[in-house]
Amino acid sequence: VLICKDITRIKELEAENERNRRLSAMGSLVMKIAHEIRNPLGSIELYANMISEDLKDTLQGDYARRISNSVKMLRNTLENMLGFTRGIVPKKTDVCLNDFISDFVKEFYEVFSRVGIEFKYKIQKKITAKLDPSLLRQALINLIMNAYQAMPDGGVLQINIKEENKFVKISVIDSGQGIDSEIIDKIFDPFFSTKDRGTGLGLSITNSIVSAHGGKIEVKSKFKEGTEFVLYFPVE
């Protein structure tokens, strides 16, 4: 008698439980440093906004505005990390993904183009979904920064969005170095990193953000040929 049992789902649940355990351990550390970081960030953002207003319609004013936006991004990152200690509860609102992605790409286009990375996007039609825009932004930033680091000699980075089987499907595709098949199963584990200065939290945070929306994330990669991350968000 030969009995076969598919334990794929069991293994997925075990891996998810292990990730959650590590994130809980991280929580106590984050709480200790959060208050120390919040105050300086608030001051930087305040003074950058003041400079931006004083130098409105000038190149320097634009630089100050970008500093302010970067500080907001850091504050959002800190808040998102603190959210993992309590569990993420997305503040969903109707998000027009066409406008959202267009603004997102414009924000990073110049930085990427300077290092030879062509950043573009494609959306089949007008798509509106109930999502937390700040959390979605954080998830996408984590993915494009990984892509940026995977293409030191330049390449192509593309975001594709479409509706598929009651899901909004967001694909982030790069032409970079790819991920070794021996470690691809570990990339969503907290604190796992192949970078010398990496925290190993970026992809873990992204995975948690997608899960908090009731979605899932998949990765396809070929070593030296590029990587594709696919985020699935349920259509409400």
Side-chain angles (χ1 to χ4, degrees):
V1 176
L2 177 63
I3 300 176
C4 297
K5 183 179 181 180
D6 187 353
I7 61 172
T8 302
R9 183 55 181 163
I10 295 175
K11 290 295 183 181
E12 289 176 352
L13 290 173
E14 288 177 350
E16 183 176 350
N17 287 336
E18 177 62 18
R19 285 194 292 269
N20 290 337
R21 186 188 66 78
R22 294 187 183 184
L23 283 173
S24 296
M26 180 190 72
S28 59
L29 175 62
V30 172
M31 289 295 288
K32 290 178 181 178
I33 65 174
H35 296 292
E36 299 296 328
I37 295 177
R38 275 175 169 171
N39 291 336
L41 286 180
S43 298
I44 294 170
E45 183 179 0
L46 174 63
Y47 289 120
N49 284 334
M50 293 172 62
I51 294 172
S52 178
E53 286 297 319
D54 291 342
L55 301 176
K56 188 181 295 184
D57 300 325
T58 67
L59 182 61
Q60 290 78 11
D62 184 56
Y63 288 157
R65 181 184 58 81
R66 294 186 186 188
I67 291 172
S68 177
N69 288 337
S70 296
V71 171
K72 288 179 182 178
M73 182 180 70
L74 288 173
R75 291 183 65 183
N76 284 338
T77 300
L78 180 61
E79 292 298 327
N80 291 338
M81 292 179 68
L82 286 171
F84 293 116
T85 66
R86 304 181 294 268
I88 295 178
V89 180
K91 298 177 181 178
K92 296 182 182 180
T93 185
D94 289 326
V95 177
C96 177
L97 290 172
N98 306 66
D99 296 336
F100 181 91
I101 295 298
S102 176
D103 292 340
F104 183 82
V105 171
K106 287 178 183 177
E107 182 176 351
F108 293 94
Y109 182 85
E110 182 179 349
V111 175
F112 279 46
S113 62
R114 288 180 180 179
V115 293
I117 296 176
E118 183 182 2
F119 196 2
K120 52 187 180 180
Y121 69 98
K122 182 172 69 175
I123 304 179
Q124 286 183 326
K125 58 181 181 179
K126 184 174 181 179
I127 299 176
T128 300
K130 283 192 175 297
L131 301 165
D132 185 317
S134 65
L135 289 177
L136 175 60
R137 172 184 167 81
Q138 183 59 44
L140 291 177
I141 287 176
N142 290 338
L143 294 179
I144 69 168
M145 291 310 298
N146 275 2
Y148 175 89
Q149 294 166 357
M151 296 185 287
D153 299 321
V156 178
L157 173 60
Q158 180 159 332
I159 298 179
N160 297 334
I161 301 180
K162 64 180 180 178
E163 288 183 309
E164 182 178 285
N165 298 326
K166 297 184 179 180
F167 282 89
V168 173
K169 179 180 177 182
I170 303 178
S171 301
V172 180
I173 308 165
D174 69 63
S175 59
Q177 299 173 345
I179 303 172
D180 195 321
S181 59
E182 294 182 359
I183 65 170
I184 198 167
D185 292 335
K186 302 177 182 178
I187 61 173
F188 295 114
D189 291 345
F191 310 113
F192 177 81
S193 177
T194 59
K195 308 179 187 74
D196 292 339
R197 298 184 179 181
T199 62
L201 291 175
L203 289 178
S204 179
I205 290 174
T206 298
N207 183 54
S208 296
I209 289 172
V210 176
S211 296
H213 282 82
K216 63 180 181 178
I217 183 169
E218 295 178 350
V219 57
K220 306 171 186 175
S221 184
K222 290 186 178 180
F223 195 53
K224 300 296 185 181
E225 294 185 19
T227 301
E228 177 181 6
F229 285 93
V230 185
L231 312 182
Y232 292 91
F233 294 98
V235 176
E236 299 183 1

